[in-house]
Amino acid sequence: MGGASREFGESAGRDGTWPGPSAADPGRRHTAAVVTDRFDRIAWRDTYEQSAGLRELAAELSARYECTSDLLTDAFLAAYKTGPRLRERAEMAPSRLVNHQVITSLLETQEFAELRRETVGDPYAAAMAVLAQAPALRGLLERCRAAWEQAEQANAAQRGAEEAARGVGEALGQAADEAEAEAEAGVGAGAGTGLGAVPVPADDAVQQAIVAARAAEAAARQAAQAAAQALAAAAPGLRAGARTAAAQAAGSVREEAALMRAWSVAPGELERMPFDARARLAERLRTSRLARWAELIGRFRQMADGERARKVENATGELVGVTLGNDLSRVIPSELANLGLPELRAVFAVRYAAGELMLYDSQEEQSTGKGAVIACVDTSHSMYETGPGGVSREAWAKACALALLDQARQAGRDFVGVLFSAADKLQVFRFPADEPADLPRILDFAENFLGGGTSYQAPLTAAGELLEQEFDDTARRRGDIVMITDDECGVTEEWTRGWNDAKQRLGFRLFGVVVGAPDAAGSGSVLEALCDNLRSIEDLTDVHAAADLFRLI
């Protein structure tokens, strides 16, 4: 068998040695474009499991395109991670190069940088960003269909090259085993070939495996080149689509964040909220009848917060003249001059003791209340009417009432919202100071609308009874009632007597706010007779028109 074998060292190839596969190395190919750690993967897994929207999107895209689950993961982590880092293209599996290009295009846009201000570290916001980008992602994947198909072919070719490389290894291993077996059996002794000679059939098998591997490697390189060309052709469209996707997502996330701020949902509260509960809350806020007036609600609350900082009790107020008394803090300069003359000091002392010193007279701001704050909000049909800036009377009234709720919470006072219209239509929402203000109930208060006519007696009677109950339970007086309406109606004489008696006994005040109907606040009106403090609001976009209300309550 001397001529029937070759040295094992030559069996690597008749035209040279086998260097191993160069077109594919499965140990360094990745399917994820964004470099992740264990905590990133846990964040994505938990968010995906909690979000029905993400699961539905993944199922929809996977039915049309391969590898979309990895794309969604990358899009989520690009928005979520503090400093997302992309892998090098050479590290990526060919089938994921489209994903790599999509995420690269996203991260290069200014719009995505703005989006990340709202999403970094917040898995919910990052998930919402992915969902908001869904329409644009569909377009990007469709635009990349040719590149994706080429990438799939390149991926198949790479797998073929890897399989062929394994075939070479197996053929070499088998040839070595046969050579060792022949050497041990003494086969070929005297042929002069020595230990390690390989039988011709095994050597031929090695050569065939090498030829097949090189062919597969060449096919993989060609397929990878075609995929790269297809991806390069799609790149300009990808960049434009990425800007659109990022802009849509940024707008959606900013809108939701503004809604949460308008409704005074603190970031810490959002972070503690379960994913599904937060998603339901966001959906309700988006679909609320007052959602389009979130900016007005937010401005009202900001204005009220600023007025709280300015509010003082027993303020000096506006100077209106001169009066007599013994308050040394308000003595006029000519009286103080008497102290400088020895002969007049005794006169000053006598007048001080008699309370006859001349003092500056001022119209003081009323001191703030201590009892409950009750907002009676008119929800009759006329409150639907739209005023300046497209703002309805209802929206203005509800925004004012929500700011009063904040006012009461800050002061540690109970708040009650009373929705009213006709005499038989009344709805009461209570928010005790010692209990958390439940947001769903706040939304119920803001969204409900009764319709019908207008009755003053029903809501004011209910408000008075609530303050009476508070006095009986806690001996607390000096509550504040705010009547927000756009209409005028009569009250009976008997009711008025009872109302005045209750007001004297409980020490509460009634503030009136007439929205978009100045005649209801005119001279001789019912509200003018009932209210301690009355204002008319004609410009429904001017939240500062009610500013002094928040200094007094």
Side-chain angles (χ1 to χ4, degrees):
M1 296 184 59
S5 63
R6 299 287 190 274
E7 290 297 325
F8 180 66
E10 296 175 0
S11 64
R14 294 187 177 90
D15 55 354
T17 59
W18 168 248
S22 60
D25 182 355
R28 49 193 282 275
R29 299 295 178 165
H30 296 275
T31 59
V34 178
V35 178
T36 62
D37 58 29
R38 181 168 61 92
F39 299 104
D40 297 331
R41 293 189 290 272
I42 290 174
W44 164 249
R45 183 197 63 201
D46 291 347
T47 305
Y48 183 81
E49 290 175 353
Q50 295 178 56
S51 172
L54 284 178
R55 294 194 301 274
E56 291 170 4
L57 177 61
E60 175 204 337
L61 295 181
S62 296
R64 301 176 61 189
Y65 313 98
E66 295 290 337
C67 312
T68 51
S69 61
D70 291 318
L71 176 60
L72 295 183
T73 305
D74 285 331
F76 170 84
L77 293 175
Y80 172 73
K81 285 174 65 66
T82 302
R85 182 169 64 87
L86 292 184
R87 300 187 190 278
E88 296 296 329
R89 286 174 55 88
E91 299 179 61
M92 298 296 297
S95 61
R96 302 306 196 273
L97 286 175
V98 170
N99 293 0
H100 188 279
Q101 185 62 54
V102 169
I103 301 302
T104 299
S105 299
L106 282 173
L107 288 173
E108 288 176 347
T109 65
Q110 180 61 35
E111 292 81 358
F112 199 79
E114 295 175 1
L115 168 66
R116 283 174 39 77
R117 296 193 185 106
E118 303 284 353
T119 61
V120 169
D122 186 342
Y124 173 86
M128 291 302 101
V130 173
L131 293 174
Q133 293 175 84
L137 287 177
R138 294 186 190 98
L140 290 176
L141 290 172
E142 191 61 34
R143 190 176 290 114
C144 291
R145 180 175 288 277
W148 172 75
E149 290 174 351
Q150 291 287 352
E152 281 298 298
Q153 294 176 16
N155 200 51
Q158 176 180 312
R159 289 195 298 268
E162 293 168 359
E163 184 66 28
R166 284 192 292 271
V168 172
E170 291 172 1
L172 288 171
Q174 184 176 358
D177 291 343
E178 291 182 11
E180 185 177 356
E182 285 191 4
E184 290 178 354
V187 177
T193 56
L195 182 64
V198 180
V200 171
D203 184 53
D204 290 341
V206 170
Q207 297 302 322
Q208 291 171 8
I210 291 174
V211 170
R214 286 177 173 164
E217 185 180 350
R221 282 197 299 267
Q222 185 176 2
Q225 184 178 6
Q229 292 173 349
L231 193 57
L238 277 178
R239 284 189 287 271
R243 283 194 296 272
T244 301
Q248 290 174 347
S252 178
V253 172
R254 279 197 301 267
E255 178 184 358
E256 183 167 315
L259 279 173
M260 295 297 181
R261 286 192 295 269
W263 290 97
S264 297
V265 185
E269 183 180 355
L270 288 176
E271 291 176 5
R272 294 188 299 270
M273 196 177 294
F275 189 96
D276 287 344
R278 185 171 173 181
R280 287 193 299 271
L281 172 61
E283 180 64 19
R284 185 174 182 184
L285 292 181
R286 280 193 297 268
T287 57
S288 166
R289 289 192 306 108
L290 300 182
R292 62 183 181 275
W293 296 306
E295 181 185 358
L296 176 69
I297 294 170
R299 286 196 292 123
F300 237 113
R301 285 177 149 167
Q302 290 173 3
M303 179 273 296
D305 186 61
E307 293 301 323
R308 277 194 295 274
R310 298 175 53 193
K311 182 173 65 176
V312 292
E313 222 174 304
N314 300 316
T316 301
E318 179 184 0
L319 297 178
V320 294
V322 176
T323 187
L324 299 179
N326 58 5
D327 184 351
L328 296 179
S329 67
R330 294 190 289 134
V331 175
I332 66 174
S334 61
E335 289 278 24
L336 291 175
N338 292 335
L339 291 175
L341 300 175
E343 60 271 21
L344 294 180
R345 289 174 185 170
V347 176
F348 182 92
V350 170
R351 295 181 64 183
Y352 171 76
E356 295 179 350
L357 292 174
M358 287 190 292
L359 313 175
Y360 284 120
D361 191 13
S362 63
Q363 181 176 335
E364 295 183 354
E365 292 188 351
Q366 295 170 282
S367 60
T368 57
K370 299 298 183 182
V373 177
I374 302 177
C376 298
V377 181
D378 189 351
T379 59
S380 60
H381 284 312
S382 58
M383 292 292 284
Y384 263 133
E385 293 186 17
T386 301
V391 178
S392 72
R393 297 173 180 179
E394 179 204 9
W396 198 97
K398 295 287 181 64
C400 182
L402 290 172
L404 287 169
L405 168 60
D406 290 348
Q407 187 89 346
R409 304 295 295 181
Q410 289 289 332
R413 302 168 67 183
D414 291 350
F415 176 83
V416 182
V418 179
L419 303 181
F420 72 92
S421 58
D424 59 342
K425 292 186 176 181
L426 201 71
Q427 199 166 7
V428 177
F429 296 83
R430 305 188 70 164
F431 299 91
D434 58 355
E435 297 178 9
D438 184 52
L439 184 57
R441 186 151 178 79
I442 293 176
L443 292 176
D444 289 340
F445 169 59
E447 290 178 326
N448 271 282
F449 193 90
L450 302 178
T454 304
S455 168
Y456 286 174
Q457 291 186 189
L460 291 178
T461 298
E465 291 173 350
L466 288 166
L467 293 177
E468 183 88 49
Q469 179 183 350
E470 182 183 41
F471 176 75
D472 292 342
D473 292 343
T474 65
R476 189 178 297 133
R477 301 174 70 250
R478 294 173 61 193
D480 290 315
I481 302 172
V482 182
M483 184 79 162
I484 308 175
T485 182
D486 71 337
D487 202 357
E488 183 176 18
C489 66
V491 294
T492 67
E493 185 177 342
E494 180 182 0
W495 179 89
T496 303
R497 284 197 297 270
W499 170 259
N500 289 333
D501 289 344
K503 189 175 179 183
Q504 180 73 22
R505 184 173 66 259
L506 300 174
F508 62 77
R509 299 174 297 179
L510 175 61
F511 295 83
V513 181
V514 177
V515 183
D519 291 344
S523 177
S525 67
V526 174
L527 277 179
E528 184 190 39
L530 292 175
C531 293
D532 302 285
N533 187 303
L534 178 63
R535 78 225 50 234
S536 177
I537 307 301
E538 297 183 36
D539 185 353
L540 303 188
T541 62
D542 183 11
V543 298
H544 295 281
D548 65 317
L549 188 67
F550 298 92
R551 289 197 300 273
L552 300 175
I553 292 179

